[in-house]
Amino acid sequence: MKEWFNKIPVEEMISWRRHIHENPELSYKEYNTAAFVEEKLRSFGNIEIVKPTETSVLGILRGAKEGKTILLRADMDALPMQEESDVPFKSKVEGVAHTCGHDIHTAMLLATAKVLSELKDSLHGTVKFIFQHAEELNPGGSQSIIDSGVINDIDAAVGLHIIPNLECGSIHVRPVGAATTAADGFFLNIQGKGSHGSMPQNGIDPIIVGTQIINQLQTVISRYTTPGELAVITVGEFKAGDAPNIIPDKAYMSASIRTINDETREKVEKRVKEIIDNTCKTYGATYDLDYQRAYAAVINDKTVSELVMDSAREVLGESMVKEAPLTSASEDFSNYRQIAPICFVQLGGGTAADGCGFANHHPKFNIKEESMISGVKTEVQTVLNFLK
Ligand SMILES: [Zn+2]
Ligand SMILES: [Zn+2]
């Protein structure tokens, strides 16, 4: 039990969370949520406010003494879906819901800011609280915050994500390396030349071109990436043709590509593009390729992860802190590693037995609000230990 535990504004935090939950806003449209956050931060009395973009808010708390700077991040956007949970503070907005828990992240970070603002005199250094917009929509809000330059001076960044199906209030950290994968992919139209099925010499068969591409793609992981390092290419869609006796004029495919290392990511993209280009040329087909890069992998820094795990153990007890496996989800928190070492943390929101068995992005997503107290304790202690 730390002396500052009683400074955690538990009831207020829950009311903030419920207010945000009832009034969800989509990515890049978090105007009211950002205004709400700004008003709360202002009310704490000693937090400077900066607006890196229209719908994001940065709070800056300068400690009494000089020292390092740490960034804590919460995302604020909701998803375009209908909520189906039975909570009394259900979304009031048709077709928009906080089913990823970003309402929880926002309320927790406000509570953390409030506690730390009261501990200002004992802080050696600066805390930056970033309330980020648009995590759910590519290219993601984090890049525009980085590009705005307002967090260039940070020495570490920590972000928490609530996850159902994990013990309420438990903390899970991937101690070093990839915590999530990069999720890229492509959409490819192959233009051949249609012909009668009995006269292939008059056509360019896009089915042959497409299947050759799919076969060649199987060699990208098996021959060009390091054995044992996670990398996946899945062509999940292939469409061409309507009848047995017609060579169609076009084919379409789309694929999903996962990697956990920036270098491999580059290499795979280059090789996939070469295979598509060369194969189409070989058969005289043309193509239109839309290769999409989504979020990079979150790669946890060993030192920052140790700091977070030790801090969590200090306030929650040994048994509540666990090593997390790599998850295949993706997160734009990964971008912050362009400027500083990062640690992405999972916070358990309760199990199926607690009524919290539905995953993030499920219409019945739900968590136990008590878990938020663990999140705040972990955030506050991490800052106190980092700025010692
Ligand atoms: Zn999400
Ligand atoms: Zn999320």
Side-chain angles (χ1 to χ4, degrees):
M1 171 88 191
K2 303 270 180 192
E3 212 174 293
W4 54 264
F5 282 4
N6 59 24
K7 294 189 194 295
I8 300 174
V10 177
E11 271 160 41
E12 267 181 296
M13 169 169 73
I14 289 171
S15 75
W16 298 334
R17 183 260 163 152
R18 292 182 176 192
H19 171 81
I20 298 166
H21 192 93
E22 278 186 317
N23 300 283
E25 292 177 297
L26 290 173
S27 311
Y28 298 99
K29 293 179 181 149
E30 307 89 339
Y31 292 98
N32 295 329
T33 312
F36 179 83
V37 163
E38 191 177 336
E39 182 209 312
K40 296 295 164 215
L41 288 175
R42 247 181 240 295
S43 74
F44 305 155
N46 53 11
I47 295 184
E48 287 168 42
I49 312 273
V50 177
K51 295 273 295 170
T53 69
E54 263 197 328
T55 58
S56 59
V57 183
L58 176 70
I60 306 172
L61 175 67
R62 294 184 204 280
K65 305 194 182 75
E66 293 284 295
K68 289 188 283 190
T69 298
I70 185 168
L71 180 80
L72 296 179
R73 178 266 210 165
D75 41 10
M76 303 190 290
D77 53 330
L79 283 157
M81 61 193 288
Q82 192 65 34
E83 179 168 17
E84 287 174 22
S85 73
D86 270 334
V87 293
F89 45 91
K90 206 168 166 170
S91 170
K92 289 180 186 164
V93 186
E94 192 70 20
V96 184
H98 268 295
T99 46
C100 199
H102 298 184
D103 53 333
I104 291 150
H105 307 163
T106 303
M108 284 194 301
L109 193 56
L110 281 173
T112 295
K114 185 163 193 222
V115 173
L116 288 168
S117 76
E118 291 176 29
L119 300 173
K120 179 184 159 86
D121 291 343
S122 60
L123 294 178
H124 294 230
T126 302
V127 195
K128 293 197 164 178
F129 307 94
I130 185 67
F131 294 86
Q132 184 203 307
H133 61 303
E135 190 285 323
E136 297 286 3
L137 193 61
N138 209 11
S142 61
Q143 192 61 53
S144 52
I145 287 167
I146 294 164
D147 294 343
S148 76
V150 295
I151 53 169
N152 277 344
D153 58 345
I154 61 169
D155 297 297
V158 175
L160 253 70
H161 206 299
I162 188 91
I163 308 282
N165 276 314
L166 290 174
E167 184 184 354
C168 177
S170 58
I171 290 286
H172 304 252
V173 180
R174 180 96 171 142
V176 64
T180 69
T181 61
D184 301 333
F186 69 76
F187 302 88
L188 173 68
N189 283 295
I190 300 165
Q191 184 65 52
K193 188 176 163 211
S195 167
H196 192 287
S198 69
M199 294 176 232
Q201 76 279 13
N202 296 333
I204 295 170
D205 188 343
I207 295 178
I208 297 296
V209 181
T211 51
Q212 293 292 340
I213 289 172
I214 293 167
N215 282 328
Q216 295 294 317
L217 290 177
Q218 306 312 307
T219 66
V220 177
I221 306 303
S222 69
R223 301 291 90 175
Y224 296 96
T225 68
T226 309
E229 179 189 306
L230 185 150
V232 182
I233 298 181
T234 293
V235 176
E237 196 180 12
F238 183 58
K239 291 183 180 132
D242 297 300
N245 58 352
I246 305 168
I247 293 173
D249 67 339
K250 40 175 154 331
Y252 170 80
M253 73 175 79
S254 67
S256 164
I257 299 174
R258 307 262 165 168
T259 52
I260 54 166
N261 169 307
D262 293 341
E263 208 183 307
T264 307
R265 189 185 191 198
E266 298 286 340
K267 203 163 145 181
V268 166
E269 176 174 346
K270 184 168 175 279
R271 202 71 198 114
V272 166
K273 286 178 173 171
E274 283 167 357
I275 286 171
I276 291 169
D277 188 59
N278 290 330
T279 309
C280 286
K281 278 186 186 140
T282 301
Y283 294 93
T286 57
Y287 66 94
D288 176 40
L289 173 66
D290 179 13
Y291 196 101
Q292 292 198 354
R293 287 190 143 219
Y295 302 153
V298 168
I299 297 179
N300 278 353
D301 176 77
K302 189 167 179 285
T303 311
V304 183
S305 300
E306 266 167 20
L307 167 88
V308 172
M309 291 178 89
D310 288 344
S311 305
R313 286 188 192 103
E314 200 177 326
V315 288
L316 306 177
E318 194 79 29
S319 67
M320 291 298 272
V321 183
K322 302 186 174 77
E323 288 193 7
L326 168 69
T327 71
S328 59
S330 86
E331 242 288 344
D332 86 332
F333 182 72
S334 57
N335 283 327
Y336 294 107
R337 70 181 159 87
Q338 294 165 21
I339 44 175
I342 64 172
C343 177
F344 192 58
V345 184
Q346 298 181 9
L347 170 64
T351 61
D354 301 317
C356 307
F358 299 102
N360 303 79
H361 293 209
H362 190 283
K364 290 186 174 158
F365 168 85
N366 192 21
I367 59 103
K368 290 189 82 169
E369 287 172 326
E370 297 95 286
S371 62
M372 298 166 74
I373 302 168
S374 290
V376 174
K377 285 179 180 172
T378 302
E379 286 178 339
V380 171
Q381 192 60 46
T382 296
V383 169
L384 295 176
N385 289 348
F386 191 74
L387 299 185
K388 237 181 206 164

